[in-house]
Amino acid sequence: MSPPPLVSRLVRPEPLTLPLRRTEGLAAILGLLGLLVSAAGSWRPSYWGDEAASVMSAERSLPGLFRLLDNVDAVHGAYYLLLHVWIGLFGSSELATRGLSALFVGVATAGTFVLARTLISHRVGVLAAIVFALLPRVTYMGAEARSAAVATAVVVWLTVLLVHLLRSRYQDRATRFALWAAYTALLALGIYFFLFVLLLIPVLGLAVLLIPPEGDRWAGIRAWTLATASGLALAAPVMAASLQQRDQIAFIGRRPPIAVLTAAVHQWFGNVPLAVLAWGLILLAVVMVFAVRGRRAAPTATRAALAVMLAWLIVPSAALLIGTHLITPMYSLRYLSVGTPAAAIAIAMGIACLRPLWPQAAALGLITALMLPTYLDQRGEFGKNYGSDLRQASEVVRAGAQPGDAVVFDESVRPSRKPRLALRLYPAAFEGLRDVTLAVPFDATNDLWDVAVPLEQVTDRLTDTNRVWVLQNQASGENRRGDNIRTLQQLGFTVAESTMLNRTQIIEMTR
């Protein structure tokens, strides 16, 4: 008797072999698709504050970087070190630095295919990889000089390795020991790249309990427990540093709390129509896998796989939300980027439930159409957070400034939004200009940013200057924003021209 359609299409288990065997080429093609989707247009938006922290940290000397990490941002240290090497090879342009993230999105896309293929079926693996590459949270992190893409790639391949260990039997104890050691190292590496990988440990434990093993389940549980404990021991330094530096994320507490429905839309999907479609497909998968009984029922392995994916989606989000209310602010939509492989696999399972093939193609087409507006917005000229326009401001200065001119920056907003970042991210535009309020450059400090003094304290530095370029941030209060203008007017400068961009105003003042 032939298997029921749902079982044959959705839940036929793959052979218990090394996941990449016979599928290396397809995994590479899907990985390339993920890379290209994320890399396309990634150079168009200006850098923004968080990316400035990455680039400026990575451009330090190694001794300077280690001094910085001893003071702040230890949780990003592994990524800064990786980016330091990458910038040394490819430079610090937006395309170069974001290209590193796009590369790891490609690695994660291939891993999502391998994981879904191993747990469920070849078709679901292909669908999951395509959906993953298209998710707005993925296209965002793939065009961002931050660690989310690297951490997601590590997490998905960590899970692939765990499933392989559970579903394979080795007579050679040395091989099995080496693979569990690799699992330990990969878990620790993931925590170094992104601390909240810790939140996935219960999910991985659930996988050990639910995924049908090849061999003694208790032996697998013991091996996983030992490997996890060893990984946590290896990651202890960054966990300890995160506790010492936890005030760095205190700013989250000053933001309005995020509603559950807002998180359900923007955590992974970016807009309401796509979120409705995605959650609908996930719900379809849940119904077909858990509710259908009799000869059309899904096998135990598939139910286990979907249960793990749902836990992957829910447990980290719930932990951050509960921790925010009970311990300290820690929830941010971007922090749950590591849940995107599970979202993609669950959606792919829902798509695979559709019959015949044309509704599956239609679902993929609809996902593509619904993600496109968000994708284009992400790659717009002001596509980064807060509509950052640092590069555009630099271009205005480059077009009009002459060597010997002075430049003054609005220091009244928080460091990650200061126009001064344009000087550090696009230094060529400011060559020959005098930064009159600079006290200590960022790479001579143990902090992320330059140390500046108020303009009124260093007016003597403008004695021989006839033109000043003032960069103001429109997010600062009007009174504070006007301090530099009033000081310069008292020195005899008048406004010659003013250019308003998205967030930054560039004012040319002459005597």
Side-chain angles (χ1 to χ4, degrees):
M1 181 182 296
S2 62
L6 177 63
V7 175
S8 63
R9 181 173 296 133
L10 171 62
V11 297
R12 182 175 58 223
E14 294 295 322
L16 302 183
T17 57
L18 186 66
L20 283 179
R21 187 173 297 167
R22 302 191 310 274
T23 60
E24 297 93 336
L26 183 54
I29 290 171
L30 291 168
L32 180 61
L33 171 68
L35 186 158
L36 293 176
V37 170
S38 282
S42 63
W43 57 86
R44 294 197 68 232
S46 167
Y47 280 129
W48 72 290
D50 280 17
E51 291 182 299
S54 295
V55 174
M56 292 167 64
S57 299
E59 287 183 328
R60 296 169 185 251
S61 66
L62 285 178
L65 178 55
F66 286 120
R67 287 195 301 271
L68 169 75
L69 299 178
D70 189 52
N71 183 46
V72 295
D73 262 10
V75 292
H76 299 298
Y79 175 71
Y80 291 166
L81 286 168
L82 176 61
L83 189 61
H84 175 88
V85 175
W86 185 264
I87 286 176
L89 294 173
F90 302 105
S92 59
S93 69
E94 291 101 331
L95 177 60
T97 57
R98 293 169 181 165
L100 176 62
S101 294
L103 175 63
F104 276 95
V105 163
V107 173
T109 304
T112 300
F113 161 71
V114 173
L115 180 60
R117 174 198 174 274
T118 307
L119 285 175
I120 308 159
S121 72
H122 189 89
R123 176 174 297 177
V124 172
V126 173
L127 291 170
I130 295 172
V131 171
F132 176 83
L134 296 176
L135 286 179
R137 179 56 57 191
V138 173
T139 59
Y140 178 92
M141 70 180 176
E144 178 95 327
R146 296 297 278 174
S147 64
V150 184
T152 302
V154 172
V155 163
V156 72
W157 282 102
L158 175 72
T159 311
V160 168
L161 179 56
L162 176 62
V163 172
H164 176 63
L165 281 163
L166 295 174
R167 296 185 61 194
S168 301
R169 177 178 291 179
Y170 293 95
Q171 300 299 325
D172 184 358
R173 295 181 61 184
T175 300
R176 193 165 186 81
F177 177 83
L179 289 174
W180 277 113
Y183 178 89
T184 295
L186 205 55
L187 174 61
L189 185 65
I191 296 170
Y192 274 97
F193 276 118
F194 185 62
L195 183 69
F196 290 155
V197 168
L198 286 166
L199 302 176
L200 289 172
I201 290 177
V203 179
L204 296 168
L206 182 66
V208 175
L209 294 175
L210 295 184
I211 293 174
E214 178 71 12
D216 183 0
R217 181 181 296 276
W218 284 108
I221 292 173
R222 288 193 298 270
W224 175 81
T225 302
L226 178 60
T228 300
S230 301
L232 291 174
L234 290 175
V238 72
M239 290 189 287
S242 71
L243 291 175
Q244 295 174 351
Q245 300 176 6
R246 61 185 179 275
D247 290 343
Q248 279 188 263
I249 60 172
F251 67 90
I252 296 176
R254 297 189 290 272
R255 296 177 176 174
I258 296 175
V260 173
L261 289 179
T262 300
V265 172
H266 295 288
Q267 191 162 271
W268 300 303
F269 307 122
N271 62 68
V272 172
L274 180 57
V276 170
L277 175 62
W279 286 114
L281 290 167
I282 292 173
L283 180 60
L284 176 62
V286 170
V287 170
M288 296 300 293
V289 172
F290 293 122
V292 173
R293 292 290 183 262
R295 54 193 294 271
R296 293 174 61 88
T300 301
T302 299
R303 292 199 298 270
L306 183 54
V308 170
M309 295 305 117
L310 294 175
W312 192 338
L313 295 178
I314 295 170
V315 170
S317 301
L320 290 186
L321 286 170
I322 293 170
T324 293
H325 287 289
L326 298 183
I327 303 173
T328 188
M330 60 180 68
Y331 183 87
S332 172
L333 293 172
R334 292 181 291 124
Y335 292 172
L336 277 303
S337 298
V338 291
T340 46
I345 293 173
I347 292 168
M349 294 178 74
I351 294 174
C353 291
L354 300 172
R355 293 179 292 169
L357 288 178
W358 70 262
Q360 299 181 22
L364 278 180
L366 189 55
I367 288 173
T368 303
L370 293 177
M371 65 79 72
L372 197 57
T374 301
Y375 180 82
L376 294 176
D377 183 64
Q378 289 174 354
R379 280 146 181 79
E381 191 176 11
F382 307 113
K384 285 300 175 183
N385 288 36
Y386 314 113
S388 177
D389 56 9
L390 295 172
R391 186 181 66 238
Q392 293 81 359
S394 301
E395 291 168 352
V396 171
V397 173
R398 184 203 296 266
Q402 299 294 326
D405 289 355
V407 59
V408 174
F409 299 99
D410 179 5
E411 304 288 348
S412 65
V413 290
R414 72 187 193 197
S416 62
R417 297 192 191 182
K418 288 183 178 180
R420 167 176 293 282
L421 298 180
L423 170 67
R424 297 308 180 188
L425 296 169
Y426 307 99
F430 296 87
E431 286 184 3
L433 305 187
R434 294 188 296 124
D435 181 3
V436 294
T437 62
L438 178 66
V440 184
F442 74 96
D443 53 1
T445 74
N446 294 335
D447 209 336
L448 289 168
W449 318 110
D450 290 326
V451 177
V453 295
L455 177 61
E456 59 266 23
Q457 295 182 13
V458 290
T459 54
D460 57 302
R461 297 180 183 179
L462 293 170
T463 301
D464 299 323
T465 301
N466 292 320
R467 181 160 50 184
V468 180
W469 297 86
V470 182
L471 277 70
Q472 304 273 43
N473 189 304
Q474 293 305 297
S476 58
E478 183 176 352
N479 290 335
R480 299 175 65 192
R481 189 168 66 243
D483 286 347
N484 290 331
I485 303 300
R486 287 189 288 271
T487 299
L488 289 168
Q489 288 173 336
Q490 292 169 4
L491 295 174
F493 288 89
T494 59
V495 175
E497 187 174 355
S498 177
T499 302
M500 185 66 217
L501 299 175
N502 194 50
R503 301 285 294 185
T504 306
Q505 185 177 15
I506 303 94
I507 304 169
E508 179 188 359
M509 301 189 69
T510 58
R511 287 190 193 271

